[in-house]
């Protein structure tokens, strides 16, 4: 449901898919509301990466897969940060802290 609501927020004309223009408008609005500079190239790159079949539109399926990929990449980055700080047995707990890998013991 949350993914569908996010897609609908970007789908300005409500045709069930997101165009590059819609993506850019919503990203710019979010940047403005957040008081941060709008990065048009980052917005465009995000759209291109989400448009898996390269047809110029992002569908619900593509949107879902793109968000899942982004979440997996973020989890990997956080886990790497944990390992950099605490060693190779550290993992990110998926919320806000590092833990010891299942079955491992901290000395």
């Amino acid at each position: 449901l949350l993914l569908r609501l996010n897609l609908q927020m970007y789908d300005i004309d409500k045709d069930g898919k997101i165009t590059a223009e819609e993506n850019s408008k919503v990203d710019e609005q979010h940047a403005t509301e957040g008081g941060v500079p709008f990065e048009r190239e980052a917005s465009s790159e995000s759209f291109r990466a989400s448009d898996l079949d390269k047809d110029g539109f992002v569908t619900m399926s593509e949107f879902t897969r793109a968000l899942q990929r982004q979440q997996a990449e973020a989890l990997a980055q956080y886990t790497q940060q944990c390992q950099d700080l605490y060693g190779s047995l550290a993992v990110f707990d998926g919320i806000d802290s590092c833990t010891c890998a299942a079955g491992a013991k901290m000395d």
Side-chain angles (χ1 to χ4, degrees), residues 73-88 90-92 98:
E73 289 170 358
L75 181 59
Q77 288 175 347
Y78 287 129
T79 293
Q80 185 60 54
Q81 289 175 0
C82 288
Q83 291 175 351
D84 291 347
L85 289 169
Y86 302 109
S88 63
V91 294
F92 181 64
C98 300

Side-chain angles (χ1 to χ4, degrees), residues 1 8 11-12 18-19 25 27 42 47 51 53 55-56 68 81-82 95 99 105:
L1 178 64
Q8 290 171 352
D11 183 16
I12 295 170
I18 302 168
T19 65
K25 284 181 181 180
D27 283 353
F47 180 83
D51 182 14
D53 63 6
D55 66 352
Q68 288 170 336
Q81 289 175 0
C82 288
I95 300 171
T99 61
K105 295 185 180 184

Side-chain angles (χ1 to χ4, degrees), residues 4 6-23 26 47 50-51 53 55-63:
R4 186 166 305 284
N6 279 321
L7 176 84
Q8 290 171 352
M9 177 177 48
Y10 277 87
D11 183 16
I12 295 170
D13 65 7
K14 307 301 180 209
D15 65 352
K17 54 192 173 192
I18 302 168
T19 65
E21 183 179 341
E22 289 172 322
N23 185 76
V26 174
F47 180 83
S50 298
D51 182 14
D53 63 6
D55 66 352
F57 303 100
V58 174
T59 63
M60 181 64 180
S61 175
E62 290 171 315
F63 189 74

